[in-house]
Amino acid sequence: ALYLHAERGGGKTHLAHMWAQKAQAVFLAPDEVALPAQAAVVDNIEEWKNEEALFHLYNHTRTEKLPLLVTSARLPSALVFTLPDLLSRLKSLPLAEIAPPDDVLLSGVLRKHFSDRQLMVGEEVIDYIVKRTPRSFSALAELAAKLDADSLAQSRTLSVPFVRNYL
């Protein structure tokens, strides 16, 4: 089993899907009580409310020697589960973390968001945004969508002055 931690929008689910394909694993819905007969993914464990189902799932995969991938935007120590045995088992899992993105990666992600919207944006605008916005993939996605909508509504191109005024 492995516990994968990263911020929301940090790539956990994407990696989980890649792993699931290779491992022929199933994604379990939050609070699912059916125990799988194959490798399993618990994506965004913090969304689960049925602690007993999680506890039985953990024990089942361990007993049956089935691979289990758990993803979360929270570290195991920050989970709000109340079942002590479940928490101790989750805290004992090997932890892999996706580090927060650096400027190069954020710039690339922002370019992709703008490209997906068919917006031509200069590097000076990308640099300006990256230095002044939260270092989060989800924040960049939201900002790109809002800038696109506002630039269309105002019939303006995305320039540093436009972005400065928006931010």
Side-chain angles (χ1 to χ4, degrees):
L2 178 69
Y3 192 104
L4 179 61
H5 168 258
E7 68 174 61
R8 288 224 177 269
K12 299 177 302 294
T13 300
H14 178 72
L15 285 175
H17 278 285
M18 291 173 55
W19 178 80
Q21 186 176 15
K22 287 187 180 274
Q24 298 179 333
V26 294
F27 269 73
L28 301 175
D31 299 324
E32 187 165 327
V33 293
L35 297 175
Q38 65 203 75
V41 176
V42 172
D43 195 27
N44 298 314
I45 194 170
E46 62 273 14
E47 294 176 5
W48 284 57
K49 305 296 180 237
N50 187 337
E51 295 181 35
E52 285 191 23
L54 271 173
F55 182 68
H56 291 306
L57 171 66
Y58 176 90
N59 288 334
H60 170 74
T61 57
R62 187 163 174 99
T63 300
E64 298 298 319
K65 296 182 173 48
L66 297 171
L68 175 65
L69 177 61
V70 175
T71 74
S72 181
R74 294 182 182 170
L75 288 167
S77 59
L79 293 172
V80 292
F81 297 133
T82 58
L83 193 60
D85 288 341
L86 173 62
L87 279 173
S88 69
R89 282 165 176 77
L90 292 172
K91 289 176 183 178
S92 73
L93 291 176
L95 175 65
E97 291 190 76
I98 300 173
D102 62 10
D103 285 357
V104 173
L105 181 56
L106 289 173
S107 296
V109 167
L110 196 52
R111 273 188 221 93
K112 171 85 169 88
H113 286 305
F114 287 137
S115 173
D116 289 348
R117 291 175 168 72
Q118 301 175 349
L119 294 171
M120 301 296 289
V121 178
E123 284 303 309
E124 68 281 356
V125 174
I126 300 287
D127 292 342
Y128 186 86
I129 292 171
V130 167
K131 289 183 172 97
R132 289 164 180 82
T133 57
R135 306 189 66 73
S136 151
F137 294 124
S138 56
L140 287 181
E142 186 178 315
L143 178 63
K146 287 180 179 178
L147 286 171
D148 181 22
D150 283 359
S151 69
L152 281 172
Q154 297 177 32
S155 298
R156 293 187 55 196
T157 59
L158 289 179
S159 62
V160 170
F162 178 82
V163 173
R164 182 183 307 121
N165 188 44
Y166 181 84
L167 294 176

